[in-house]
Amino acid sequence: MDATRNGIDPALVAHWLDLLADATGSTLRPALASTHLVDYGNQNMAVILRGLETTTHAPYLAGWRLRVVPDLGHLPLSMISTGTIDRTVHSWIADGCSRSTVKNTLAMLTRTLDQAVRDAILDHNPVHITNWQHEYQTAEDELDNPRALALPDWAALNELSAALVDASHDHYPGWGDVVVYNACTAARIGEVSAARTCDIDTHQWIWTIRRQTTPAPGGLTDKHTKGRRSRQVPIIPPLRPLVTRHLRATRGDPYARLFTGPRGGRITTAVLRDATHWNDIVAQLGYEHLRRHDLRHTGLTWMADAGIPLHVLQHIAGHRQITTTQRYLHPDIRHLTHASSTLAQHLTTRHHAPDRPPCCGTPTTKRRRKSTQLP
C-alpha cells in the first residue's frame, strides 16, 4: 500500500527482490513469502494432506477451518513466528479446547508450514516448539479454578485501582478507570483498549464489543475479537459515571477510544503493568497471584455469584464452549449454607406432613354403597 502511494509498483518490487535472491543464491522468494497462510494452505491442501490416513482428514481439516484460519490465516507466511504460535495455542487452550484438539490443530499447521519450507518459501518451520505442553498445563491449571484468581469484592477492586493510580507517573487516573471497567465488564484488556465511543449505548447502557487491540508486526493493531463475533456486555450502574466522564472527554468523536494512556496511546497488558508498577502493588496488597487477565476472572466470578444464567454468562464472556463458562459456577460458602437450610426445611416439612392426604370422596362412596344394599 505504501509503495503504491509513493508511485512504486509492488509487482516490480517483488520482481526486483526475486532477481536479488537469484544473484545472492537465496532460496527464499519474497513474493511467495508475502502470501497469506489461508491462501497458501487452501491452494496446496491436497499436497499437505498427502500420505495421511483418510480418517485423519476430518479432525485435521476441522482444526484448520475452526482455529488456524480464524486466528492465523490473515498473516503472511513470513510473519508467522514461534511467539505468535505460542500465544495462539495458549488462547485455544483458554477457550476450552481439549488436548487432542490442540494436538490435531498443531499437526495441521505443522504440515502446512513444512510444505512452505519444501517450497523454499520459509527457511524453517516455526511450529516446531517444545513447550506447548507446558503452556497447556499452565492454562489448564488456571481454568480448573478461575474463581480462585478473582478479587474478593468491590472494596478490594477500588483499593487496587487507587493504589495503581498512586504508583503511576503523575498519578494518571485513567489506569484506575481501566482496571475497574475491565473487572466490571469481564472483558479482555485488549477489548477494553479497542473500545470506541460508538460502541457504547447510553440509553440501554450496553457495550458492544467488536474488536480488540493486539500486538502485531510493526506495533499494535486493532482486529476482530477472539471469537470473530461481536457480543454485548451490560454496563452496571456503579460504572456509568466513569463511562460518562470518558465519553465527555472524547467531545463527540464516535471513533475516539474510550480509554487511552496519558499520552493518548493504546493500552496493553504490558503497558498497564509497567506504568502502574503492577507486580509491586498487588504484592503489597496481598494479591501476589493477581495478573491483569484476572480482572476478567473477577468479573465473571461476580456475575456467576449474582445468579446470572449460564447461557447469558457465556455470551458476556464470549466463550466458544459452555464448559469453560461452567468453571465459574462453583458455589461459594454462602450458596452452600443456603442450600443446607433449604434442604433441611424441605425434609422437616415432609416429615411432619401426613402420610396420605384425606380424600373427600371416600365417605360419600361408602354411603352410596350402603344405600344400594337390599334390606
Side-chain angles (χ1 to χ4, degrees), residues 81-239:
S81 65
T82 302
T84 301
I85 296 170
D86 271 335
R87 290 189 292 271
T88 304
V89 169
H90 190 82
S91 71
W92 293 337
I93 299 165
D95 280 343
C97 295
S98 67
R99 189 181 296 268
S100 61
T101 297
V102 174
K103 184 178 180 180
N104 288 333
T105 304
L106 272 179
M108 183 62 190
L109 182 58
T110 300
R111 292 182 69 92
T112 303
L113 296 185
D114 275 344
Q115 184 60 41
V117 173
R118 288 192 291 270
D119 286 340
I121 300 175
L122 300 178
D123 58 357
H124 72 284
N125 189 335
V127 188
H128 290 162
I129 53 179
T130 58
N131 64 342
W132 80 270
Q133 293 282 3
H134 173 71
E135 291 295 323
Y136 187 97
Q137 188 61 49
T138 300
E140 193 175 53
D141 291 343
E142 172 186 315
L143 290 176
D144 280 342
N145 188 16
R147 295 175 57 89
L149 304 173
L151 287 168
D153 50 37
W154 176 258
L157 176 61
N158 283 326
E159 181 185 29
L160 172 64
S161 169
L164 293 172
V165 171
D166 289 341
S168 67
H169 180 66
D170 288 340
H171 307 302
Y172 177 59
W175 301 126
D177 291 345
V178 166
V179 168
V180 173
Y181 188 86
N182 198 168
C184 291
T185 58
R188 300 176 178 91
I189 186 67
E191 294 168 340
V192 174
S193 176
R196 300 182 186 273
T197 59
C198 60
D199 301 328
I200 306 296
D201 179 359
T202 56
H203 295 289
Q204 303 183 75
W205 287 106
I206 297 293
W207 171 32
T208 302
I209 302 178
R210 296 186 171 94
R211 67 194 75 79
Q212 64 175 335
T213 299
T214 60
L220 298 174
T221 185
D222 288 348
K223 67 173 189 177
H224 52 75
T225 61
K226 198 169 185 180
R228 301 182 73 88
R229 292 177 296 181
S230 63
R231 67 183 191 277
Q232 294 179 317
V233 174
I235 300 174
I236 62 175
L239 197 60

Side-chain angles (χ1 to χ4, degrees), residues 306-324:
I308 293 178
L310 182 62
H311 69 283
V312 178
L313 191 62
Q314 181 188 16
H315 173 79
I316 292 174
H319 289 151
R320 294 179 184 176
Q321 300 187 15
I322 202 166
T323 54
T324 305

